[in-house]
Every structure is written in C-alpha cells, then in structure tokens.
Amino acid sequence: MLGAVVSLSALGLIFGGLLGYAAKVFAVETDNRAEAIKELLPGANCGACGFPGCNALAEAIAKGEADICACPVGGQGVAQKVAEIMGTSVDMETTAEIAPLKARLICRGGKEECGQIAEYDGLPDCRAANMYASGGRACSYACLGFGNCERICPFGAIHMDENRLPVIDLNKCTGCRKCVEACPKGILTLLPETVGIYVACNSNAPAREVTSACKVGCIACRICEKACPFDAIHVKDNLAVIDYEKCRQCGICVKKCPRNIIIDGRIKKAQAV
Amino acid sequence: MKKLTFQGGVHPVYHKEITQDLSITPLPIPKQVTMILHQNIGAPPEPLVAVGDHVKRGQKIADTKAFVSAPLHASISGKVIALENRLSPIGKEVPALIIESDGKDTPYEGLKPYPDLGDMDAAAIRKAMREGGLVGMGGAMFPSHVKVAVPEGKSIETVIINGSECEGYLTCDHRLMLEWTDDVIYGIRALLKAAGAQRAYIGVEANKPDAIEKLREKLALLDSGEEIEVKTLAIKYPQGAEKQLLKTLTGREVPSGGLPIDVGCLVQNVGTVATLARYLRTGMPLVERVVTVSGSAVKNPGNFLVRIGTSFSYLLEHCGIMGEPKKLISGGPLMGVAQITAEVPVLKGTSGILLFDASDVPAGNARPCVRCGKCVDVCPVYLLPLYLMDYTLKGMLNRAKEYHILDCIECGSCSYICPSRRPLVQTIRLGKADVLARQRKNNNG
C-alpha cells in the first residue's frame, strides 16, 4: 500500500518536472497582441476582411501584414482599440470611408406584388430556382424568395417575411457582404449607413413587361428625374438610378414616385446603435 | 444471347408503347419560327442576316469563326421580323431571330447534294459536317465536326452509334432507325470515313427488336467493306449515356475528366448520323428533326418531323391537350427540363415534348436520409450521391471535389431511386456549379 503511494508520487514528480522543463525549453513564442486583438474582433468569422476568420486576421494584424482597419464589421470603434494595442493611431479621415455599410434589398416584388408564371417545385434554393427560368417568377429580375441570404448571414440580420422577401435588420447588419455575394439575382447591395434613399427595383425590362409582371416595378416614367432639384436621379436602361455624388437626400423623389419604389430607409437616430 | 449492360442504373417504367408504333409525320409549317442563335455547346454564332431580310429554307443565318461551334440555318422561308431575347427551353433568355413564314417554304438556291462518299475525303466530310450545322441531337448539342477532329497523337478505332434511347416516353430515335434505316447506315459510313475508323457498333436497347432486325437486314446487304455491327443492349437507364454505352460495348472506361477520344472512341447519336446522311444526299442542312410528343395530358401523341424553331405550343395545339396539364418537360422525363411556358421553341437537341397531368406529377417533401445506400448502388459513375449532397449543402466544396463531384453525369438515377425523395441530383448539380466557380476563382487569382 505505502509502496504504491510512494512510487506513484515519485513518478508524478518526475513527469511533472520533465513537463515543466520541456515547457520552458520548447516554449512557442506567441504574440500577446494577437490574442488581445482577437478578443476585440467581432468573432463571427464572416470572412469579410479576406482572411479565413477573426483569428487569422488578428494574427495578420499583429504581424503587420494586415491593416489595423481591415475589419469592415468592427468599423471605426474596433480599429481604434486595435490601434491602441498596436501602439499606433487611426487616421479618422480614412476610417470614415470604411464606416458602416448596410445591406439593402433593391426589390419589393414579393409573392403579393409579383406573381408566378408557373409553379416551382424544385429545390428550395435561390440558385437552383435561378437556373430554370427564374423559378417561374413573372419578373426575371425579382427576388426568388428562398432565403439564401437569410441562411448565409452570420449575424442573424436577415429573415424572410410572409411575403417571401428578406427583411434586413439594419442594427444587426454589419455590411460583411456575404448576402450580396450569395444572391444570384444581385438584388442585395451595400450602401453607406448614411445613405438612406435608394431605388428598390432592379428591372431593366421595358415598362410594358414590368406592369404585366409586377405591381412595384420601375416603369421608367421619369417623374423622379423631373422632380429632382439636384439632377441626381436619371432613368438609364428602363430603371431609375441615383447619382449619390449629387443626391442630397431631400426625399422629393420618394414622395413623387407613382410606384412607391424609391425608398427612404434612413436609420432614425433613436434606432442607431 | 446475354444482353450487354453496365453497372448501376435504374428501371423506370418506359411508356414507350404510347408512340413507338406511330410513324414519323411531318408537322405543318408554322407561321413563325424562333431561331435561338446559340444552338450548340460551344461559342455562340453571330447573326448573318438583318431584321427585314428575306431568308429561304436552309440559308445560313448565323455563324462564327470559332472552331467549337456550329452555324444555324433558317428552317422556313420568310422574313426576319425581329432579333430579340427569347426564352429558350434551357431556361434562359437568349438572343433569337424570329422568322415569319411567307407560306412558300422555298429552299435556298445554293444548296447542292454532295458527291458520293467514295469521291469525298475525310477532310471534306468534316467540313460538310460543320457547314450542315450538325450538333449532337441526343440533347447535348455538341458540334459534331469537333468530335471527328482527332488531336495529334490520338486516333479513333471504334465509332459507337447511340441508338439506345434509354429515356422513357421518347421514341424518335426508334422510329428514325426503322424508317430512315438507309440514312442511318449512310451516315455511319460517312462518319467512319471522317474519323478514319473501320469499325462501328450500333447500340440499341432490347425493347426495339424491330429496329434491330431492320438494321441487321440492311447491313447484311452492305458491300462497301466497313465493319458495322448492331449490338443488343439491356433495357436500363442510363444505358445511352455516352460513357456508360462506351464501356458496355468496348469494355473501356473513359478516365475521370476525359473524353471518349482518350480511349480511341467516338460516340454519336443515331439521329445525328441520319441527319448527316440526309444533308450529304440532299444538301439541306439541319433545319428539322424528329420530336416525340407524349405524356398523360396529350390527346394525340406521336412522332413528328418538326422544323427547328417551332414553338412547343404549336406542337401541343396540333396534338391536342386533354385533362388538366400540370407539367411540361423538354426532353426525357429523367434528364429533361421542366418549362414555365409552352412559348419556347424546338432546338436541335429537343428530342421530346412531354405534357403530364397531376396524376403523373409526384407530390411530397424530402424526408431525412435513411442511409439505405440505394443511390450508391444505382450510380452509374460509382459516386456516393448522399455524401455529395451533404457536402454541397454544408459548403464543403473541397471534400465534394475530392469525392469526384465533377464526374457526375446528372442522370438522376439517385433522385429516382431515393425512398426519402431527396433531391440528390438537383443538389449535386448546384455543387458542381459551386466547385467549378471556385476553380475559376482560384485560377484567376
């Protein structure tokens, strides 16, 4: 009995000593800054920075291989804290440009507004539906409604409503671009948080086709063009396009549009985080 | 005699009895045809005529300098009234020339029959194949002259003629082998000469005994020296898939990512060789094809000789619709494409138009995979469809590629056999597109 306790204790001490020695001799040098930066990053591993996840970006920043402002999701706040760790400062002018982008849906044709020519009973996936004549949607530019954007959003900012259109929670959206890349119709776009007025239609089809297919499609009537006091909105290829260089966000076009497809989606102060 | 076949595959109910005894009937010429410009798997040809021009039957209306492509010829005489985007049966809006018939159906003057085969060399036949706008008429629409252009260091020993017609309902190739037997044989002889080969096998499934007999009868009379043999195949889907047919008849397996030429073979559809013969003999290029119209919602089904560009609705009107049609398919029931409207034109590769009522359109949702492994048993390319589907859904593209997702021939046997009704081939098709997209992205940067 005593022999067993003694021998096991002795073995434990010997191995403990060996392990302790090995830990000192073969220690891997880690950059504490990388660890600290990792703590600051959002941790969603969305990949918007171009690195395979937050960990990889943190290491790259610590090594000086990536810019301290590289995380588009964290924005200015994170960049500043990262700069403190790295012992540099952030140029506020340049980070203003990476300031929050938000995903916007430029289609309003849900199942209520834009019908089906044919029933689609294929794979419930936007890309699959897009392969076969837009899954039978009346408008070939319209949202397919199978929610690939909802599934890919790492921040839970998108959900499909009953009308089969994605609804974007702007407070949760970080502008990581995942949904934009996932949408086969290209009807999700990133606009700066400060830009709230946009045309919610993507159809280049002539007015006759638009009216027969959808209740809320741009018919290129040019009323917005005439109403705009700043010459900032023009109809190009059967679709109203806003020139954000000139747009002052006065909101006149929003009121004038007979199809109600120019949207004022400005984030109210109270809502903004 | 033991019937030849391959490993895997499924046995769907064929329903060929509906149209297999109905002879090929020429369809009245439609008032208007929609000539989709891009009717081959290669480069899209450019239009050679302008809106307002008058064209004649057989006149070349689109061509390109690219090698992997085929020209397009007007299928009726009349006036070009528009060049605009139209929905093709493939499911995309693509440029098309719309020709309005003048009711005369005048053939183009420049068309002359080619000299007899003995007076033509291989290069001349290959050139003729391109000029005739010939593409694979089984459905893939691969330009035929490209297949016989043998790259350096390779040669074609065996030509395989695909008369298996393994998809259900379709009987166009069956009728064509019976009624155009001479054309089929003449076409094979031309193809053998163009490819520089001596031996040809015609693979026909055992459910077409009359066609097999007729071909054998005519071949017995042949005294030109080529070695052409008819082989009876087991009745199984996808017996007519290029690589499966090749393995069945020669025992050779096309390597992953390879082509039949890699094992010294050439596979051509029986409809393509018959059309080649008709072109050589009359000078009239590919402007019409045999189309089977069938299905539970068609009143008078049949096999029709149809001008390319004729709309599905015109054909269906001619045949009559009964009951409540629920699903329209271009091609066979397994590999065909469901249509959202009947206002789409017949292409060079449209072998059938199938219209089904609700009783033939299965309903029900996919249930979880029970790991029965049936999809693995039936896969003719020895893949693991259940895993490929999972990898695609989980975005594990490297894994999918490692498991040879790109070798999938999209025959749909896995989806057909799945007791849980899982959309296997549909998902794998997406996975293939994803893997190819990633490959392109990696290659570009």
Side-chain angles (χ1 to χ4, degrees):
Chain A
M1 172 72 189
L2 189 70
V5 171
V6 170
S7 58
L8 269 177
S9 312
L11 277 172
L13 280 172
I14 293 166
F15 287 133
L18 278 174
L19 282 171
Y21 177 71
K24 283 265 181 227
V25 175
F26 301 112
V28 180
E29 277 186 41
T30 51
D31 196 335
N32 288 336
R33 293 180 303 177
E35 282 295 311
I37 294 168
K38 197 184 114 192
E39 292 300 315
L40 289 174
L41 294 176
N45 295 321
C46 69
C49 53
F51 289 89
C54 295
N55 226 348
L57 176 65
E59 275 166 27
I61 294 178
K63 279 186 201 153
E65 286 168 8
D67 195 68
I68 45 171
C69 312
C71 177
V73 175
Q76 230 169 17
V78 168
Q80 262 170 344
K81 286 180 192 152
V82 171
E84 275 168 32
I85 292 170
M86 294 296 288
T88 52
S89 63
V90 191
D91 182 356
M92 294 310 260
E93 289 287 306
T94 52
T95 47
E97 280 163 30
I98 64 154
L101 289 170
K102 299 285 177 190
R104 304 282 193 170
L105 177 71
I106 49 172
C107 174
R108 292 189 60 209
K111 71 169 192 246
E112 294 285 319
E113 296 85 10
C114 175
Q116 294 278 126
I117 299 171
E119 211 176 295
Y120 174 80
D121 66 352
L123 210 60
D125 182 290
C126 299
R127 286 172 310 151
N130 193 37
M131 279 185 185
Y132 300 110
S134 302
R137 294 305 312 264
C139 168
S140 60
Y141 297 88
C143 174
L144 297 158
F146 290 105
N148 280 20
C149 47
E150 182 186 30
R151 284 192 290 278
I152 203 150
C153 180
F155 301 96
I158 302 180
H159 76 270
M160 301 300 292
D161 66 4
E162 282 175 0
N163 197 20
R164 295 190 57 177
L165 280 180
V167 177
I168 301 159
D169 183 340
L170 294 178
N171 291 329
K172 286 184 184 165
C173 175
T174 60
C176 74
R177 198 177 282 278
K178 284 231 148 173
C179 56
V180 176
E181 280 163 17
C183 178
K185 286 294 179 197
I187 51 166
L188 284 160
T189 182
L190 287 180
L191 289 174
E193 192 178 43
T194 45
V195 170
I197 292 178
Y198 58 96
V199 180
C201 179
N202 192 38
S203 167
N204 295 118
R208 187 167 42 86
E209 278 177 36
V210 172
T211 43
S212 67
C214 178
K215 289 182 201 155
V216 286
C218 178
I219 50 171
C221 63
R222 293 177 193 266
I223 289 176
C224 51
E225 209 176 286
K226 287 171 207 140
C228 181
F230 307 106
D231 189 36
I233 187 161
H234 292 279
V235 171
K236 281 178 204 142
D237 210 2
N238 295 317
L239 181 64
V241 180
I242 297 175
D243 178 357
Y244 288 108
E245 299 268 300
K246 292 182 184 166
C247 175
R248 308 271 280 274
Q249 312 221 28
C250 65
I252 291 175
C253 55
V254 178
K255 292 192 193 88
K256 290 281 180 183
C257 178
R259 309 277 282 180
N260 293 325
I261 51 164
I262 305 179
I263 289 183
D264 185 355
R266 277 178 284 195
I267 304 171
K268 311 264 174 344
K269 269 270 150 30
Q271 273 179 9
V273 180
Chain B
M1 196 184 99
K2 192 172 164 278
K3 287 168 202 147
L4 302 163
T5 193
F6 62 101
Q7 192 188 323
V10 292
H11 298 275
V13 186
Y14 269 29
H15 291 296
K16 284 184 191 279
E17 69 285 350
I18 304 174
T19 51
Q20 69 185 8
D21 298 324
L22 303 171
S23 51
I24 301 169
T25 329
L27 189 81
I29 294 157
K31 287 200 179 69
Q32 195 177 306
V33 289
T34 306
M35 305 298 294
I36 302 274
L37 287 178
H38 194 187
Q39 297 203 31
N40 73 76
I41 210 163
E46 298 294 322
L48 301 175
V49 291
V51 174
D53 285 3
H54 195 273
V55 294
K56 287 174 180 166
R57 176 160 59 98
Q59 183 180 343
K60 200 192 275 181
I61 52 172
D63 202 357
T64 162
K65 287 202 174 72
F67 178 68
V68 186
S69 186
L72 185 69
H73 304 83
S75 62
I76 57 173
S77 71
K79 201 173 130 189
V80 180
I81 56 168
L83 171 60
E84 59 186 29
N85 279 2
R86 285 292 176 100
L87 189 68
S88 125
I90 292 157
K92 294 261 180 299
E93 284 201 3
V94 287
L97 281 165
I98 322 294
I99 304 172
E100 197 177 55
S101 172
D102 57 6
K104 291 179 203 141
D105 199 29
T106 336
Y108 187 58
E109 304 86 17
L111 304 171
K112 274 187 222 75
Y114 283 80
D116 194 69
L117 277 186
D119 302 328
M120 286 177 85
D121 61 358
I125 300 174
R126 282 204 287 269
K127 193 160 171 262
M129 286 171 92
R130 189 185 198 286
E131 282 306 301
L134 285 164
V135 296
M137 290 169 79
M141 301 202 286
F142 190 87
S144 306
H145 68 279
V146 180
K147 282 192 183 178
V148 285
V150 187
E152 203 146 324
K154 287 181 180 162
S155 66
I156 298 174
E157 295 162 31
T158 313
V159 169
I160 291 168
I161 305 301
N162 190 353
S164 50
E165 198 162 53
C166 60
E167 277 260 29
Y169 292 93
L170 306 185
T171 53
C172 52
D173 288 350
H174 181 183
R175 291 312 304 178
L176 185 145
M177 284 187 282
L178 263 181
E179 294 176 41
W180 299 358
T181 322
D182 287 332
D183 286 332
V184 171
I185 294 167
Y186 191 84
I188 296 172
R189 289 177 54 214
L191 196 63
L192 280 171
K193 189 150 193 190
Q198 266 310 305
R199 188 175 57 211
Y201 294 133
I202 313 175
V204 186
E205 277 193 7
N207 55 5
K208 297 178 260 296
D210 46 354
I212 295 170
E213 203 179 315
K214 183 93 184 276
L215 280 166
R216 284 197 175 135
E217 236 168 64
K218 294 270 181 184
L219 283 172
L221 303 174
L222 195 68
D223 54 1
S224 54
E226 292 100 340
E227 191 188 322
I228 306 175
E229 200 182 328
V230 185
K231 297 258 191 183
T232 311
L233 308 168
I235 307 165
K236 188 160 74 175
Y237 176 87
Q239 182 63 70
E242 186 171 73
K243 289 164 191 172
Q244 279 58 43
L245 182 68
L246 199 156
K247 180 146 191 242
T248 307
L249 292 176
T250 64
R252 296 176 194 178
E253 200 163 308
V254 180
S256 168
L259 291 169
I261 187 95
D262 295 328
V263 291
C265 290
L266 162 72
V267 184
Q268 201 63 274
N269 178 263
V270 71
T272 317
V273 289
T275 311
L276 168 64
R278 287 163 84 90
Y279 172 55
L280 294 175
R281 282 171 160 179
T282 64
M284 181 55 68
L286 203 177
V287 295
E288 56 191 2
R289 67 156 296 141
V290 186
V291 177
T292 303
V293 183
S294 187
S296 49
V298 178
K299 203 182 275 170
N300 302 307
N303 301 296
F304 300 95
L305 188 58
V306 181
R307 297 293 163 90
I308 306 296
T310 306
S311 84
F312 282 23
S313 58
Y314 180 78
L315 256 162
L316 290 169
E317 222 169 86
H318 183 83
C319 297
I321 296 168
M322 60 181 184
E324 274 179 47
K326 180 88 174 162
K327 194 165 194 170
L328 175 66
I329 294 175
S330 158
L334 275 144
M335 283 201 74
V337 181
Q339 302 298 316
I340 59 165
T341 160
E343 295 307 324
V344 285
V346 168
L347 303 181
K348 289 176 181 179
T350 309
S351 45
I353 298 173
L354 308 177
L355 189 66
F356 297 112
D357 60 24
S359 67
D360 273 337
V361 180
N365 291 326
R367 295 183 297 271
C369 173
V370 294
R371 314 250 145 184
C372 64
K374 281 191 173 167
C375 53
V376 182
D377 289 345
V378 300
C379 180
V381 226
Y382 325 129
L383 300 178
L384 307 171
L386 74 163
Y387 291 114
L388 293 179
M389 177 172 176
D390 280 355
Y391 294 147
T392 302
L393 292 178
K394 297 271 186 295
M396 295 162 74
L397 300 184
N398 285 341
R399 227 26 196 310
K401 200 180 160 200
E402 219 171 276
Y403 279 63
H404 299 283
I405 195 169
L406 294 180
D407 283 328
C408 169
I409 56 167
E410 301 180 14
C411 68
S413 297
C414 47
S415 295
Y416 173 82
I417 206 81
C418 181
S420 285
R421 294 182 43 77
R422 293 179 69 73
L424 288 152
V425 72
Q426 295 87 331
T427 314
I428 293 170
R429 198 177 284 157
L430 276 186
K432 280 173 84 174
D434 286 351
V435 170
L436 287 172
R438 180 179 281 193
Q439 264 181 13
R440 269 197 300 274
K441 203 170 153 192
N442 290 349
N443 290 346
N444 293 341

